[in-house]
Amino acid sequence: MTIRFAFYGRVSTEDQQDPEASRNWQRARARALVDRHGEIVAEFFDVGQSRSIPWKRRPQAARLLAAMRDPGRGFDAVVVGEPQRAFYGNQYGLTFPVFVHYGVGLWVPEVGGAVDPDSEAHDLVMSVFGGMSKGERSRIKIRVRSAMTAQARVEGRFLGGRPPYGYRLADAGPHPNPAKAADGKRLHRLEPDPDTAPMVRRIFAEYLAGRGIFAIAEGLTRDGVASPSASDPGRNRHRSGVAWSKGAIRVILSNPRYTGRQVWNKQRKEEVLIDVDDVALGHETRMQWNARDKWIVSDEVVHDPLIDTGTFERAQQVMAAKGAGRTTRERHRTRHCYVLRGLVHCGLCNRRMQGQQSRDLLLYRCRFPNEYGLANKIEHPRNVYLAERDLLGPLDDWLSTCFAPHRVAETVEALYQAQPDTDIDPAAVVAARAVKECDQALARHRAALEAGADPHLVTRWITETQARRAEALARSTGRVDRPRMDKQDIESLVRRLGDIRHTLARADRDDKAQVYRQLRLHATYHPGTRIVRIETTIDPDGWGYGKCPRGDLNPHALYGH
């Protein structure tokens, strides 16, 4: 009997593996195992997915699990090239019962064929490989962090990231790793930015002269000094950059990099359970701030300081003294489900409004003047509040009306007409073409290097080409060839949303929040007119294409247009 196999493999690009090469050797290993028994008729291969991500959250693995439920799946068994890449930790124990339930075999080279669900030896072997996979990842993480700690502390090496305000990146020579140097990789260091470095000195001088953080922010805004987000708008598209914030001043005053020493490990990646009641969903990675005693500071001064160490230490003493009289209390975090979390924006400053509870009332609040120096650049009340209960009623009514069966055609037409005539930015087209040309040039340079050309000359070519590519890539929006959706596609997406009316009528707050996010709802509150403008978008890749605006949704009058 000939067995039909589906091949599953995985590669992570975080350690710069070549996806095609990895796929080829994994598939070759799998084919060598099953060639005498059948043939591979389907393939599921995850690219860029960490091994720690459970199967249900890997795109191709999830497709494979879904395919196994179909009696006409077209394959009888699944073969993997290397179990360490497929299963991590206890994933085998959580996944293999699904194979058994649907009668799909699992073949791995390490057991010489099919895994026997009744064999304790096979179960032990697969569990061991899952533990080895987890241990390998942990060892790599420890080695990398140890190496980066030594590079920052002993060598004072710049380890990447954006330069702090007041500095810019400068070339520091070829990479010490010969292989990376051959690819054109170079080190960088910090050097004072002639435009922003004087502002850093001004901030420290004014603070030590007795001015408060807010007064400094107000003065810089009044004098037309670009804030950090306005100085680097490409990396701060989520910020308006209209004024200096107190937070920006506070970060500058507490950054020891301005003394000329390199600092690393101010933040760390923390893996947090997605759902404590469903551990099988795995973890998600979040950035967390480390305590000051965990920061890695270089032993020596490695770049030009903007202030001396004494000035910096005096600033820290002043900041500590200003906070010494404050009494702290233990905070008890209470989780409130804000249905429109992250979706409500202030119409005056375009910032997201924050959730706030006042007694039993859930509010969305904007406190722009409390955080930013206005300097008469924007008229904004001290506090802007919007009660959630005043908005949800009219919003649910509008959505129920738009997606009622007899109104679907009208809604589809509105979404179709709301699409832009073209999504092609001429500048982005030129930039994308330049990126492609640079990629071709880099391939030629590497070929020349392999052919025996002068390494120093080729390295210079590669560096220049990579610089041009980075510049072109920054100009490219990445959305240069997206076609308009036709009405049938839009109607299909709308149908996939299901019966929104019944969902909103019976759903709890968490389910409602999920519906609003699927619709990519964007609410803008204008406090002067007490009107909320609502926009929804849909997209075949996550509901994000074709805006359907509805303005004048007045939450206080409880009606909408």
Side-chain angles (χ1 to χ4, degrees):
M1 175 182 175
T2 299
I3 303 176
R4 299 169 301 172
F5 290 93
F7 163 71
Y8 176 74
R10 183 201 62 81
V11 62
S12 173
T13 56
E14 61 186 6
D15 49 359
Q16 300 181 357
Q17 298 179 60
D18 178 9
E20 188 62 26
S22 181
R23 170 193 170 275
N24 289 340
W25 74 256
Q26 289 183 57
R27 179 156 179 149
R29 197 162 186 256
R31 191 167 53 246
L33 175 66
V34 303
D35 265 351
R36 293 179 298 170
H37 306 277
E39 61 177 344
I40 295 175
V41 298
E43 178 176 314
F44 302 85
F45 191 77
D46 277 308
V47 177
Q49 302 296 319
S50 171
R51 69 183 74 187
S52 65
I53 297 177
W55 276 50
K56 289 190 293 185
R57 290 172 50 212
R58 301 181 198 168
Q60 293 299 313
R63 281 188 57 234
L64 175 57
L65 292 175
M68 287 194 296
R69 299 187 181 97
D70 182 8
R73 66 182 73 93
F75 58 87
D76 310 303
V78 175
V79 58
V80 299
E82 187 181 58
Q84 295 99 312
R85 291 181 176 270
F87 302 107
Y88 171 88
N90 64 344
Q91 289 176 2
Y92 167 78
L94 296 171
T95 308
F96 187 59
V98 180
F99 284 72
V100 176
H101 176 79
Y102 291 111
V104 178
L106 175 63
W107 289 54
V108 295
E110 280 66 18
V111 300
V115 176
D116 184 354
D118 298 321
S119 171
E120 293 184 4
H122 284 191
D123 185 71
L124 177 61
V125 168
M126 295 302 296
S127 299
V128 167
F129 278 111
M132 290 172 58
S133 179
K134 185 174 182 179
E136 179 184 354
R137 183 170 181 263
S138 299
R139 287 194 300 273
I140 292 174
K141 187 185 301 184
I142 292 172
R143 286 199 299 266
V144 169
R145 291 188 62 84
S146 299
M148 295 179 75
T149 297
Q151 290 169 353
R153 175 175 288 141
V154 180
E155 302 176 31
R157 185 185 299 183
F158 177 77
L159 297 176
R162 68 178 66 185
Y165 180 82
Y167 284 106
R168 63 186 181 187
L169 294 182
D171 184 76
H175 199 283
N177 185 314
K180 292 184 178 181
D183 282 339
K185 300 287 180 63
R186 302 183 70 82
L187 297 180
H188 295 90
R189 61 180 176 83
L190 298 177
E191 70 174 13
D193 186 322
D195 296 326
T196 58
M199 299 303 106
V200 173
R201 300 187 183 99
R202 167 179 167 174
I203 289 171
F204 275 91
E206 291 186 1
Y207 188 69
L208 291 178
R211 298 198 73 186
I213 289 177
F214 190 86
I216 296 173
E218 186 78 8
L220 291 169
T221 304
R222 183 183 301 108
D223 294 344
V225 178
S227 65
S229 58
S231 301
D232 190 5
R235 292 180 173 178
N236 296 277
R237 296 177 182 176
H238 59 297
R239 300 185 185 276
S240 64
V242 67
W244 278 79
S245 70
K246 294 191 296 184
I249 303 296
R250 189 177 294 108
V251 167
I252 289 174
L253 288 172
S254 59
N255 193 344
R257 274 181 165 179
Y258 295 120
T259 64
R261 299 181 185 273
Q262 190 55 265
V263 180
W264 178 72
N265 201 41
K266 295 174 70 174
Q267 288 181 294
R268 72 186 185 280
K269 290 183 179 179
E270 188 81 8
E271 292 187 342
V272 181
L273 281 173
I274 293 177
D275 186 349
V276 295
D277 296 322
D278 187 1
V279 180
L281 285 177
H283 300 75
E284 62 180 354
T285 302
R286 296 180 183 175
M287 295 299 294
Q288 305 282 356
W289 285 99
N290 286 326
R292 290 288 293 251
D293 59 354
K294 300 293 184 182
W295 294 5
I296 306 300
V297 182
S298 63
D299 296 333
E300 305 292 338
V301 173
V302 294
H303 53 256
D304 294 338
L306 300 187
I307 57 170
D308 57 68
T309 303
T311 299
F312 179 78
E313 291 178 350
R314 288 198 301 274
Q316 307 317 298
Q317 293 171 0
V318 173
M319 292 179 69
K322 288 187 175 181
R326 299 176 183 173
T327 58
T328 59
R329 57 176 178 168
E330 183 179 356
R331 294 186 177 183
H332 299 279
R333 295 183 63 87
T334 303
R335 181 181 180 272
H336 300 291
C337 178
Y338 291 90
V339 177
L340 300 171
R341 180 192 299 272
L343 305 179
V344 183
H345 297 72
C346 175
L348 300 176
C349 62
N350 296 322
R351 297 173 71 235
R352 284 192 177 94
M353 299 179 71
Q354 300 171 329
Q356 159 135 7
Q357 183 184 24
S358 177
R359 297 183 180 178
D360 294 330
L361 187 64
L362 296 183
L363 305 167
Y364 296 95
R365 176 191 68 180
C366 181
R367 304 179 65 195
F368 186 90
N370 283 13
E371 295 294 331
Y372 288 82
L374 299 180
N376 299 321
K377 285 185 173 289
I378 182 173
E379 294 183 3
H380 197 298
R382 185 176 181 86
N383 290 286
V384 171
Y385 289 103
L386 172 63
E388 185 180 82
R389 68 182 183 188
D390 292 340
L391 179 56
L392 287 184
L395 178 59
D396 290 352
D397 292 342
W398 170 62
L399 289 175
S400 298
T401 302
C402 286
F403 292 95
H406 67 282
R407 293 287 300 274
V408 169
E410 181 180 342
T411 299
V412 169
E413 179 66 25
L415 289 166
Y416 177 77
Q417 296 297 335
Q419 295 181 100
D421 292 334
T422 177
D423 203 27
I424 300 177
D425 182 357
V429 173
V430 174
R433 189 180 303 121
V435 170
K436 183 176 180 179
E437 292 172 353
C438 288
D439 288 338
Q440 295 171 347
L442 287 171
R444 292 195 299 271
H445 297 337
R446 293 190 178 99
L449 190 65
E450 293 173 356
D454 183 359
H456 297 288
L457 179 61
V458 177
T459 298
R460 189 171 73 249
W461 292 347
I462 291 176
T463 302
E464 294 172 353
T465 305
Q466 286 180 329
R468 292 199 305 272
R469 185 184 187 280
E471 181 183 0
L473 191 61
R475 298 197 308 269
S476 174
T477 63
R479 295 184 60 174
V480 299
D481 56 357
R482 188 158 203 172
R484 285 169 58 91
M485 295 172 62
D486 58 31
K487 294 181 181 179
Q488 290 76 16
D489 291 335
I490 295 176
E491 183 175 358
S492 174
L493 293 178
V494 170
R495 300 291 184 190
R496 281 168 53 191
L497 285 171
D499 193 339
I500 290 181
R501 296 182 304 153
H502 288 89
T503 300
L504 294 177
R506 297 178 299 179
D508 59 22
R509 297 177 64 83
D510 288 320
D511 291 337
K512 277 191 177 184
Q514 183 64 25
V515 170
Y516 296 141
R517 277 159 181 76
Q518 284 185 335
L519 288 169
R520 293 286 181 91
L521 188 141
H522 186 284
T524 305
Y525 176 49
H526 301 276
T529 55
R530 305 180 77 186
I531 287 176
V532 179
R533 178 178 174 83
I534 301 291
E535 290 184 354
T536 60
T537 57
I538 62 173
D539 189 334
D541 298 321
W543 321 105
Y545 192 76
K547 290 188 176 180
C548 180
R550 288 294 183 269
D552 297 343
L553 197 92
N554 190 327
H556 303 283
L558 296 182
Y559 69 88
H561 304 291

